[in-house]
C-alpha cells in the first residue's frame, strides 16, 4: 500500500472538498460545505492530503495560531477536519494520516509548529468546546489577552 502525505495545492480543491463532504455528509451549498471551500481557497497549503496509489483519499486542515506570552511567541497547530473517503474508512488510513502529520509537525525546534491535538476517535466526529481562562497582566500588542483552551 503506497501512501504519500503532502501539502495540498490549489489544484486539489475538488478532491479535498469531496473528501470533507463525503466523510462528514456535507451537501454542496450547505453552510459547512461553503465554509470548507472558503477556508481551502484562502490557503490551500494549510490542508494536507493522504494519497493512496495517486488518489487523494484523506485530508485534514491545520490552523496556526500565534500566542504571545511575555516576550515569547508560541505557534500552536490546531489539526481538524480529519477525514477519509467512506470506502477507505476502517482500513487504517486515518491513523496513517495522523501518524504522518504528527511526525511532520512534532519537532519542537525554533520556528517549528508544536502540535496541540485534542483526544479523538478516528471515524467519529466529536464535539469541541472551549473554556475561557482570563489571565490578568499579559499584554499582546498593547491590549490584554484572553487565552482560550481547547478540550
Amino acid at each position: 500500500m503506497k501512501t504519500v502525505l503532502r501539502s495540498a495545492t490549489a489544484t486539489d480543491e475538488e478532491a479535498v472538498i469531496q473528501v470533507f463532504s463525503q466523510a462528514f455528509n456535507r451537501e454542496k451549498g450547505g453552510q459547512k460545505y461553503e465554509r470548507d471551500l472558503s477556508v481551502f481557497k484562502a490557503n490551500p497549503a494549510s490542508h494536507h492530503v493522504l494519497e493512496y496509489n495517486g488518489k487523494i483519499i484523506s485530508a485534514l486542515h491545520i490552523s496556526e495560531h500565534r500566542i504571545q506570552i511575555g516576550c515569547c511567541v508560541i505557534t500552536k497547530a490546531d489539526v481538524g477536519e480529519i477525514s477519509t473517503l467512506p470506502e477507505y474508512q476502517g482500513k487504517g488510513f486515518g491513523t496513517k494520516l495522523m501518524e504522518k502529520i504528527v511526525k511532520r509537525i512534532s519537532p519542537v525546534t525554533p520556528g517549528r509548529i508544536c502540535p496541540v491535538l485534542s483526544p479523538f476517535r478516528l471515524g467519529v466526529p466529536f464535539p469541541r468546546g472551549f473554556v475561557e481562562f482570563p489571565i490578568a497582566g499579559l499584554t499582546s500588542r498593547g491590549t490584554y489577552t484572553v487565552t482560550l483552551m481547547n478540550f
Side-chain angles (χ1 to χ4, degrees), residues 8-44 47-49 56-61 81 83-86:
T9 65
T11 59
D12 296 321
E13 176 182 311
E14 186 177 328
V16 170
I17 299 305
Q18 188 70 14
V19 170
F20 290 166
S21 297
Q22 288 187 24
F24 297 118
N25 199 23
R26 295 178 179 161
E27 293 185 27
K28 188 172 186 173
Q31 183 179 6
K32 289 184 178 181
Y33 179 97
E34 294 301 322
R35 182 206 60 202
D36 291 343
L37 187 56
S38 175
V39 169
F40 185 89
K41 286 183 178 194
N43 187 3
H47 293 74
H48 290 74
V49 298
I56 294 174
I57 63 162
S58 293
L60 58 76
H61 176 254
E81 302 302 322
S83 51
T84 299
L85 289 172

Side-chain angles (χ1 to χ4, degrees), residues 1-6 9 11-12 15-16 19 49-58 85 88 93:
M1 144 167 104
K2 177 145 167 107
T3 59
V4 175
L5 174 70
R6 64 174 178 80
T9 65
T11 59
D12 296 321
V16 170
V19 170
V49 298
L50 185 72
E51 290 183 343
Y52 175 64
N53 292 333
K55 178 182 180 179
I56 294 174
I57 63 162
S58 293
L85 289 172
Y88 293 94
F93 291 107

Side-chain angles (χ1 to χ4, degrees), residues 24 81-84 89-90 94-95 98 117-127:
F24 297 118
E81 302 302 322
I82 305 154
S83 51
T84 299
Q89 291 176 6
T95 299
M98 288 304 295
L117 301 175
S118 301
F120 66 95
R121 291 186 338 189
L122 290 174
V124 179
F126 61 94

